[in-house]
Amino acid sequence: MTQYPALHMIIDGEKVSGGGRRTFDVINPATGEPIGALPLAEAADLDRALEVAARGFRIWRKSTPQERAAVLQGAARLMLERADDMARIATLEEGKPFPEAKIELMMNVGLFNFYAGECFRLYGRELVRPEGQRSTVRYEPVGPVAAFAPWNFPLGNPGRKLGAPIAAGCSVIMKAAEETPASALGVLQCLLDAGLPKEVAQAVFGVPDEVSRHLLGSPVIRKLSFTGSTVVGKHLAKLAAEDMKRTTMELGGHGPVLVFDDVDVDQVLNTAVPGKYRNCGQVCVSPTRFIVQEDVFERFRDGFIERARAVKVGDGLEEGTQMGPMANARRPEAVDRLIGEARDKGAKLGTGGARIGNRGFFYQPSVLSEIPLEAQIMNEEPFGPVALINPFRGEDEMIAEANRLPYGLAAYAWTQDGKRQRRLAAEIESGMVGINSHMIGGADSPFGGVKWSGHGSEDGPEGVLACMVVKAVHEG
Ligand code: NAD
């Protein structure tokens, strides 16, 4: 059985812990028990990491595409070799079922291999000029990156935060969530073991506000990459603006799902229900607001409730578990509050709406329907295992509801009508749209939002370009 590892930071390739530093208790969300003590950075640790990152950038900006690709491919191979251990550690600290953690790891493998190929495709261009003159446009790495990764994808978020800067030729200081440190350290260790120079990527942990103010306050850092809530994202974007640092902001969403009356309802439910309860709904692209055409509303709602009741909830390491606990003590409390407030405002609770047991952070798969639009849960990302299902008359009304909120990360639509599919693709304000599918990502595809869901992309060629600046050189 996988042991939960000893925890540390990685600064200049050195495992840093102890020395009277403050610590953070990492909790197994399936039991509520502490499983590790994480050292937190002091100001001196962050200063050291910054000085090393400046050196790391000077080394890595001169690396060849072959060197960068070899590191990324080597790390991908090591992740495959270590897959079972890494996935079990992710389940221990985040709670998600082991097979979900393993898929997450495989997505990192795919992303690192894709980025390895991108290293060779960072072309500039030559402009047409009269003979004797030359003008070229080239892409250069932006500089040292400060990257903040949240806890909901303990392996995948660090994979994105590390992979793109490394492919682009930047150095990076990553602060992954204190709640899921061992998974993040595992991903970084694969890169270091694959030959990444120790100065190029480092991992610190700390009091989030202390670390972000310190790193973003330094002129060494030239780019901020953040995944997390819109509230924190806006705060960090302001800090970054003080020094005009580049930003990639992957923030919250409130995924609308438009279900029209020309669909096979059972087929939609077979995709939508597992999609909703994946990782306990703690997914930024989670399908959340089900906007259902009135003729199929009751069948859809009742079918959802029936399937939600059948979801097997348990410890993510137990075979057959379909939904684990929520990741931390804050989440069941937040979901409980939002569901309670919606019910007070007249929403109907179809199933769920309560915690399970008093050990760990388990919550029932829940369904609310006929929810007034002014209920908080219809406006705030619930980030939990609750589906919100409301009836609507027709296409215009449904699109208006999809676009009602300031969020625009992922949206989904189910309809057989080809012309309508194209209208929806054009009209829905969202960074990603799934039509008759919940698969809205891929290593080669940009992942990111619009409006309050942020800006910039991760994954795809865009993910690497987001870590680069453009330079035009004109020779007379
Ligand atoms: P939170 O908003 O306090 O934290 C979200 C993430 O940001 C965490 O990883 C946290 O460590 C980090 N963070 C917080 N303050 C920071 C700071 N000053 N500097 C740098 N990083 C900071 O809340 P939470 O309770 O962890 O999560 C709640 C909400 O966050 C959810 O409801 C959801 O909306 C959002 N969230 C979004 C994603 C995503 O994938 N977009 C992931 C996790 C959480």
Side-chain angles (χ1 to χ4, degrees):
M1 191 38 126
T2 308
Q3 291 292 313
Y4 192 73
L7 298 170
H8 50 78
M9 296 184 274
I10 301 183
I11 301 177
D12 202 8
E14 196 186 306
K15 294 182 177 172
V16 174
S17 64
R21 289 179 179 80
R22 297 161 293 173
T23 57
F24 176 90
D25 279 342
V26 179
I27 306 286
N28 177 348
T31 62
E33 303 288 336
I35 49 175
L38 177 70
L40 302 181
E42 299 296 336
D45 295 319
L46 300 173
D47 284 337
R48 185 168 162 226
L50 284 163
E51 181 268 316
V52 172
R55 265 192 285 135
F57 179 54
R58 287 196 291 274
I59 297 169
W60 204 235
R61 66 191 286 260
K62 295 213 161 71
S63 61
T64 62
Q66 285 82 353
E67 284 167 325
R68 296 198 296 279
V71 163
L72 289 161
Q73 283 165 340
R77 273 195 299 276
L78 289 172
M79 282 193 283
L80 275 178
E81 279 172 22
R82 300 171 189 177
D84 280 357
D85 274 354
M86 290 178 74
R88 269 194 213 101
I89 286 169
T91 295
L92 277 173
E93 53 186 18
E94 202 267 353
K96 67 178 59 187
F98 171 74
E100 274 185 37
K102 199 128 175 226
I103 290 171
E104 195 182 322
L105 189 87
M106 295 312 291
M107 286 166 70
N108 270 357
V109 171
L111 184 65
F112 279 19
N113 282 326
F114 176 80
Y115 276 165
E118 278 311 285
C119 293
F120 295 94
R121 292 190 284 267
L122 297 169
Y123 309 120
R125 66 185 195 276
E126 186 166 335
L127 307 180
V128 180
R129 288 290 180 271
E131 203 179 318
Q133 295 178 20
R134 189 164 63 159
S135 290
T136 49
V137 179
R138 52 210 247 191
Y139 291 97
E140 297 181 349
V142 61
V145 176
F148 300 90
W151 41 264
N152 59 337
F153 286 88
L155 296 161
N157 288 324
R160 284 178 167 163
K161 296 296 171 210
L162 294 169
I166 287 171
C170 299
S171 60
V172 51
I173 302 176
M174 172 175 69
K175 190 203 81 63
E178 285 64 34
E179 283 147 336
T180 54
S183 301
L185 289 168
V187 177
L188 174 53
Q189 198 59 54
C190 288
L191 286 156
L192 294 170
D193 292 349
L196 184 73
K198 64 183 177 24
E199 296 86 354
V200 175
Q202 308 177 86
V204 298
F205 299 98
V207 175
D209 197 48
E210 274 177 34
V211 179
S212 51
R213 281 183 195 277
H214 200 110
L215 296 184
L216 297 176
S218 162
V220 168
I221 298 297
R222 293 313 320 152
K223 178 185 162 108
L224 156 70
S225 175
F226 174 72
T227 300
S229 60
T230 296
V231 175
V232 175
K234 287 181 178 178
H235 164 68
L236 296 183
K238 284 178 196 155
L239 293 181
E242 288 292 327
D243 188 37
M244 208 47 85
K245 299 184 200 302
R246 293 267 302 258
T247 55
T248 294
M249 310 300 288
E250 207 275 272
L251 309 178
H254 205 290
V257 187
L258 288 71
V259 182
F260 289 89
D261 62 8
D262 59 357
V263 297
D264 175 339
V265 171
D266 284 316
Q267 196 197 338
V268 179
L269 287 169
N270 289 341
T271 303
V273 176
K276 175 67 256 178
Y277 300 116
R278 175 167 78 110
N279 199 16
C280 242
Q282 303 164 124
V283 179
C284 54
V285 294
S286 189
T288 294
R289 262 175 308 146
F290 291 87
I291 299 167
V292 185
Q293 202 161 12
E294 56 194 6
D295 286 354
V296 288
F297 168 72
E298 282 184 16
R299 262 178 62 215
F300 185 86
R301 180 200 57 197
D302 296 348
F304 211 114
I305 292 169
E306 194 188 314
R307 285 167 169 81
R309 287 190 177 131
V311 171
K312 192 165 177 291
V313 183
D315 187 321
L317 288 178
E318 270 165 32
E319 187 120 359
T321 292
Q322 292 172 315
M323 191 177 97
M326 302 201 78
N328 55 58
R330 298 185 299 284
R331 296 315 314 149
E333 273 169 31
V335 172
D336 229 20
R337 180 180 53 75
L338 288 169
I339 291 180
E341 197 261 356
R343 292 181 74 188
D344 289 347
K345 289 216 160 84
K348 291 186 187 161
L349 181 69
T351 188
R355 299 180 68 138
I356 304 174
N358 53 12
R359 190 165 178 264
F361 313 129
F362 292 95
Y363 203 88
Q364 294 172 340
S366 307
V367 177
L368 282 176
S369 67
E370 289 118 308
I371 314 131
L373 295 187
E374 61 276 14
Q376 238 176 325
I377 203 164
M378 291 300 287
N379 299 282
E380 224 179 77
E381 187 175 31
F383 226 59
V386 52
L388 312 173
I389 309 179
N390 274 351
F392 289 83
R393 196 164 309 140
E395 186 178 313
D396 289 347
E397 218 186 338
M398 292 165 77
I399 292 175
E401 169 56 15
N403 290 340
R404 178 177 58 90
L405 295 184
Y407 298 103
L409 190 58
Y412 308 88
W414 293 85
T415 177
Q416 295 306 318
D417 180 334
K419 285 201 171 136
R420 175 186 278 153
Q421 290 169 1
R422 285 188 284 282
R423 282 197 298 276
L424 295 170
E427 293 301 323
I428 295 178
E429 296 163 2
S430 188
M432 294 162 284
V433 181
I435 294 179
N436 296 334
S437 171
H438 272 216
M439 301 292 291
I440 44 111
D444 57 353
S445 172
F447 185 99
V450 298
K451 299 168 38 181
W452 282 14
S453 294
H455 54 244
S457 303
E458 299 193 285
D459 305 355
E462 292 84 357
V464 183
L465 286 177
C467 293
M468 306 198 86
V469 285
V470 70
K471 183 186 276 175
V473 179
H474 302 279
E475 298 166 61

